[in-house]
Amino acid sequence: MTAPRQTIGENTRRFLDRENHGLLIDGAVIPAANGAEIDVFDPSSGERLGRIAAGEAVDVDLAVKAARIAFEGEWSRWSPYQRQALLFKAYDLLERRFDELAEIESLDMGAPISRTRATKAGAQRMVQFFAAMALNIRGETLQNGLPGEVTTMTLRAPVGVIGGITPWNGSLTAIWWIAGAVMATGCTAVLKPAAEASLSVLHLIEMLHEIGLPKGVINVVTGHGASAGDALARHGDVDRIAFTGSTATGRRIIEASTTNIKRLQLELGGKSPDIVCADADLDRAVPGAAMGIFNNSGQICFAGSRIVVARSIAEEFTARLAEYTRGLRLGPSLDPDTQLGPLISQAQRDSVMAYVEAGRAEGAELVCGGEALSGPGWFVRPTVFGGVDMEMTIAREEIFGPVVSVIPFDDIDEAITIGNRTEYGLAGAVWSRDVSTALNVVEQIRSGTMWVNCYGLIDPITGFNGTKMSGYGAKGGLAHLDTYLYTKSVYIQR
Ligand code: NAD
């Protein structure tokens, strides 16, 4: 499926016409040292969109050096008000030019343009949050029991160079968790976006230089995870890694980070339960649960991929879910009417289809979907499986595609048990008109984020956390900033 290129704006076209997208190191766009490149594709058509540089250890080293020099240079003397003013300019930049970022992201990763455009408000909220946080870096003066006249206090200082390793499924807001924190605290960064979709990150960071981001403060090294990503995680002069991606890669990052005992923040995978009680308002729960999984074609870490529904309403709920799902419009990412775009790659489509086959083979009932569209592009119809039990592969493993398992329960304790039967602890939801039922579920599900009668809302002040094998390290709230700072204890003898 293709959409005409004339629908994109002039700046987007100019950016894409470059064809070869270099690394962004010390404010300059440069090729990888070995000249290697990676083809990137429009998942809606399977056509080549351009090439990104295949950075390796030597490029990572260059970027880390630039970030270290920036960290120790002029940037370290910027006042919090100057850093805040830069974030205000970033807000204004997003106000003026978000559309081109949305177009690039949609073309590069396949998310519908209506969706990427709608993330503008979220991205701006992130920038506003970090602009406020820039003035909220504070230590304490403390009492002490020391002999003599000693004043004790703590100072908060930026930890240094941050390695930001991120996935492909929604950089426009997610990248601000790192870029915003760096700009608020005075840290510097080397970003390593996913090879499948790096373009919106490259364009954003380039634009930030145009509004006054000093060179070297945020660098971007594109490339493969096993080379550029691993080199960043291993690098002896990177102080902290902020990683978002799969649990398997998270484990490798932990191992690589031992070189210099880096601080880590890991935001990993999920298999989130979406619990629909018998008293739920189905007019809200059906579309809410459907988009809780099918948004971004299921390529969201917190996707509600297990709908756990009261047996007394399971038949009606499943029928209505299937009807809603069949009505979702699949299409190319730039078509404004598209509700569901393609999957990121042929490999991802094949992986999702293997799960569909596993669902069938293990006896789940295929209610709707279950097929890949014959090209061009990498589309899979949104798929609902009914009568799923927790022994089945589709109920246990993260699919990262538009496939949902409907699992019936008899009483709320069973729903909670099913909800917790996962190694992950990222998110979950409950749909009920009864506030005490809802709060009981919220309290008992072991996950970092819970929604009641809604799905997927995230505000940076409240944050979005994970537990168990979904990772650790705060995302959002004052605690988020804390992880970009260290504490210095100060003793002053008078
Ligand atoms: P991935 O783990 O394959 O890749 C993530 C990033 O890590 C990419 O930049 C990749 O190049 C890099 N990488 C790969 N191998 C590496 C290595 N050995 N060392 C260093 N870096 C390496 O994940 P993905 O397929 O890009 O994204 C999907 C996964 O991300 C899913 O599991 C999803 O749940 C998770 N995710 C989690 C969150 C969250 O907030 N918890 C958000 C989005 C996505």
Side-chain angles (χ1 to χ4, degrees):
M1 292 193 199
T2 46
R5 270 287 183 91
Q6 60 264 29
T7 55
I8 63 177
E10 197 46 46
N11 286 345
T12 310
R13 184 187 308 281
R14 209 171 300 127
F15 179 78
L16 293 175
D17 280 352
R18 282 186 200 172
E19 287 269 329
N20 300 53
H21 301 275
L23 312 170
L24 185 45
I25 297 180
D26 208 20
V29 178
I30 57 170
N34 68 1
E37 294 184 319
I38 301 167
D39 285 332
V40 290
F41 298 93
D42 171 359
S44 299
S45 64
E47 286 169 13
R48 195 163 59 80
L49 198 57
R51 295 187 188 88
I52 55 168
E56 294 191 339
V58 59
D59 306 291
V60 167
D61 194 45
L62 194 66
V64 172
K65 284 198 172 90
R68 177 61 61 190
I69 289 168
F71 179 70
E72 289 170 356
E74 188 62 26
W75 175 244
S76 67
R77 289 182 286 282
W78 277 42
S79 75
Y81 287 95
Q82 285 175 291
R83 294 198 303 271
Q84 186 189 53
L86 182 61
L87 282 154
F88 287 159
K89 283 191 197 169
Y91 178 92
D92 181 53
L93 176 80
L94 296 183
E95 185 60 34
R96 289 183 285 112
R97 297 182 60 183
F98 197 81
D99 224 38
E100 63 200 81
L101 288 166
E103 288 172 350
I104 291 168
E105 175 104 328
S106 281
L107 276 167
D108 200 15
M109 72 143 294
I113 189 70
S114 57
R115 179 175 196 276
T116 51
R117 283 194 178 126
T119 58
K120 176 178 170 184
Q124 286 185 310
R125 262 201 309 278
M126 301 274 279
V127 175
Q128 286 177 293
F129 167 74
F130 285 112
M133 289 298 102
L135 304 188
N136 263 288
I137 296 170
R138 51 191 166 197
E140 295 173 304
T141 52
L142 299 148
Q143 297 189 342
N144 63 72
L146 296 168
E149 277 195 72
V150 180
T151 299
T152 50
M153 62 182 174
T154 58
L155 301 180
R156 305 286 286 150
V159 294
V161 177
I162 310 296
I165 304 176
T166 50
W168 39 264
N169 66 329
S171 299
L172 285 186
T173 45
I175 205 67
W176 284 105
W177 290 117
I178 304 169
V182 160
M183 289 161 75
T185 56
C187 288
T188 58
V190 176
L191 305 179
K192 210 301 283 171
E196 294 88 343
S198 297
L199 296 183
S200 60
V201 174
L202 281 170
H203 193 44
L204 172 70
I205 305 303
E206 212 177 318
M207 291 196 315
L208 289 178
H209 284 90
E210 289 171 25
I211 59 158
L213 179 74
K215 62 181 191 168
V217 170
I218 303 182
N219 308 273
V220 187
V221 177
T222 52
H224 293 295
S227 49
D230 182 67
L232 191 56
R234 229 165 258 289
H235 200 288
D237 203 26
V238 171
D239 298 289
R240 179 178 185 274
I241 292 286
F243 172 72
T244 305
S246 63
T247 299
T249 307
R251 196 175 269 128
R252 286 191 200 106
I253 303 251
I254 293 170
E255 286 162 11
S257 72
T258 58
T259 49
N260 64 335
I261 320 291
K262 285 181 189 65
R263 291 157 185 249
L264 290 180
Q265 179 194 17
L266 301 174
E267 299 148 27
L268 310 175
K271 191 73 189 172
S272 300
D274 196 355
I275 297 174
V276 183
C277 300
D279 69 345
D281 176 354
L282 292 193
D283 290 342
R284 289 170 67 189
V286 169
M291 293 320 288
I293 171 68
F294 297 132
N295 199 354
N296 213 23
S297 295
Q299 302 167 112
I300 295 187
C301 53
F302 55 74
S305 50
R306 295 182 294 146
I307 300 181
V308 187
V309 59
R311 198 178 299 278
S312 60
I313 60 159
E315 198 176 323
E316 181 193 356
F317 177 87
T318 307
R320 288 179 62 173
L321 177 68
E323 187 188 347
Y324 184 92
T325 302
R326 285 192 198 96
L328 290 171
R329 285 186 302 276
L330 261 70
S333 58
L334 286 192
D335 183 337
D337 292 329
T338 291
Q339 290 173 294
L340 295 192
L343 297 175
I344 184 73
S345 63
Q346 189 167 338
Q348 187 69 10
R349 185 191 64 184
D350 293 348
S351 161
V352 169
M353 287 310 295
Y355 279 110
V356 170
E357 290 317 313
R360 279 200 181 104
E362 291 174 18
E365 179 204 349
L366 180 65
V367 180
C368 69
E371 53 179 352
L373 302 194
S374 56
W378 301 307
F379 293 85
V380 170
R381 280 203 196 288
T383 301
V384 176
F385 276 110
V388 177
D389 70 55
M390 281 306 299
E391 300 308 318
M392 296 180 183
T393 308
I394 54 171
R396 286 184 285 107
E397 296 184 13
E398 184 183 41
I399 299 175
F400 223 58
V403 179
V404 72
S405 297
V406 179
I407 307 166
F409 70 85
D410 288 308
D411 62 49
I412 200 68
D413 288 340
E414 189 189 6
I416 291 164
T417 302
I418 293 170
N420 282 331
R421 265 196 70 187
T422 169
E423 64 194 15
Y424 295 112
L426 195 57
V430 53
W431 301 82
S432 170
R433 287 187 169 95
D434 183 76
V435 79
S436 55
T437 301
L439 283 179
N440 179 27
V441 173
V442 165
E443 282 166 9
Q444 296 205 54
I445 292 291
R446 287 183 61 211
S447 73
T449 300
M450 284 296 289
W451 292 288
V452 176
N453 295 329
C454 60
Y455 206 96
L457 302 180
I458 295 177
D459 187 281
I461 299 176
T462 314
F464 172 70
N465 295 290
T467 186
K468 294 161 72 179
M469 282 176 67
S470 293
Y472 49 77
K475 205 170 174 182
L478 280 174
H480 184 93
L481 216 66
D482 277 345
T483 63
Y484 284 73
L485 303 164
Y486 70 94
T487 301
K488 193 174 290 187
S489 303
V490 183
Y491 296 81
I492 305 167
Q493 179 98 56
R494 279 185 278 165

